[in-house]
Amino acid sequence: MGEVDQAFIQSIQHRANLDTIEIEGIPLINLSLSHTTDINLLVSEIGNACKNWGFFQVINHGVPLELLDKIKVAAKAFFDQPMEEKRKVKRDEVNPMGYYESEHTKNVRDWKEVFDFLIKDPTFLPASPELEDDEMRTLSNQWPENPPQFREVCQEYAREVEKLGYKLLELIALSLGLPSNRFNGYFEDQLSRMRLNHYPPCPCPELALGVGRHKDAGALTIVAQDDVGGLQVKRKSDGVWVPVKPTPNALVINVGDIIQVWSNEAYESVEHRVVVNSERERFSIPIFFFPSHYVMVKPLEELVNEGNPPKYKPYNFGKFNVARNRSNYKKLEVQNIQISDFKII
Ligand code: OGA
Ligand code: NI
């Protein structure tokens, strides 16, 4: 296979088209209230973006811009270290937090390395995915000694983005005709996590992907990206892969599987992937908002009725999360757990 290990090679239909195309991109929403004056206008912009795209970018989001710069510098400083330094915080099947360089998405290896940590540390999680097993275990972060200040910058960034996460969940709740705080209770013991992604230059960007096509399993994802580009979204209207244009000071937001279930598919979680390139490394920093382990995820009662019956059976988020985590470590013979497993046909 030459320079790239077979494990990274995408099947032909999933490979990137590397031609640059100019097409209608995802919406850009200004969250500053002085700009919109009318909150209802903002709420309807958010609602339309969730309905039509599942993805949008926000500016004037309240996350201090110097912190956005600092987290990107910290990510680079961490990944620039020698492998033996990064391996000191390597994650494994027991502790899924820390450094990792061989994640698979849909059974193909991603061209990336990552560092993961929990927003709320420690948190509790079921010990196994088996429904009859009610044993719990504690999950906690692994922090590297180097680079200095890494932990402080990560935690400060996560605190600020968490505030934005609640603000967006409130706007999304309003856009569905629900009280603004409708989702807040689900996040009291949140399993949310933050990830630093590093995509090194790749000798064969036409064969491998930084992250293969996938949907995010949480409620909402907020991503900071640098100016390199590579994130692509599968446009709902026609299935075309649309690039998410790096926009100065903006954050990328996407609806995850849980909002799809809560909204009974009024808003859908959309497939996305990351294309790599042969010249520039890329960094991105997502925060995945995950509810508490004991939350039973199901279509909200206010949003279902006789004409619009629930499209999903309830599922326990902790169990789902444990089952999903397990599958990230090795190439499995079968597809990992999906919300479609709970779909009522
Ligand atoms: C992810 C993801 C996008 C990016 O990590 O789930 O979709 O731009 N990342 O790195
Ligand atoms: Ni994703």
Side-chain angles (χ1 to χ4, degrees), residues 195 197 199 211 214 216 223 225 231 272 274 282 284 286 288:
R195 165 168 284 185
N197 278 312
Y199 304 96
V211 185
H214 68 283
D216 291 350
V223 189
Q225 63 167 341
L231 173 60
H272 53 286
V274 173
R282 173 173 183 264
S284 74
F288 304 101

Side-chain angles (χ1 to χ4, degrees), residues 5-11 91 93 100 102-110 213 323-336:
D5 189 281
Q6 186 69 37
F8 290 104
I9 312 291
Q10 298 283 334
S11 58
R91 75 185 204 193
E93 288 216 37
Y100 198 55
S102 57
E103 189 163 68
H104 290 73
T105 302
K106 303 227 189 316
N107 286 334
V108 181
R109 189 165 164 195
D110 295 330
R213 72 196 198 285
R324 180 62 77 90
N325 279 344
R326 282 203 174 174
S327 68
N328 287 345
Y329 294 90
K330 45 181 166 295
K331 203 163 149 41
L332 299 178
E333 295 314 316
V334 290
Q335 177 171 263
N336 61 13

Side-chain angles (χ1 to χ4, degrees), residues 221 277 304:
T221 307
N277 74 79
V304 297

Side-chain angles (χ1 to χ4, degrees), residues 25-68:
I26 63 171
L28 178 66
I29 298 178
N30 186 344
L31 289 185
S32 142
L33 269 182
S34 56
H35 159 82
T36 23
T37 59
D38 182 1
I39 182 148
N40 294 322
L41 222 57
L42 177 58
V43 166
S44 79
E45 258 188 289
I46 298 267
N48 286 333
C50 290
K51 189 151 69 66
N52 301 330
W53 285 90
F55 257 88
F56 52 100
Q57 302 203 64
V58 291
I59 49 170
N60 294 319
H61 42 63
V63 176
L65 299 181
E66 62 275 13
L67 205 50
L68 268 171

Side-chain angles (χ1 to χ4, degrees), residues 211-247:
V211 185
R213 72 196 198 285
H214 68 283
K215 297 177 180 182
D216 291 350
L220 192 73
T221 307
I222 300 182
V223 189
Q225 63 167 341
D226 62 18
D227 61 355
V228 174
L231 173 60
Q232 299 183 334
V233 176
K234 195 168 183 178
R235 188 162 56 192
K236 280 183 70 171
S237 55
D238 55 8
V240 168
W241 287 102
V242 173
V244 175
K245 198 167 136 204
T247 304

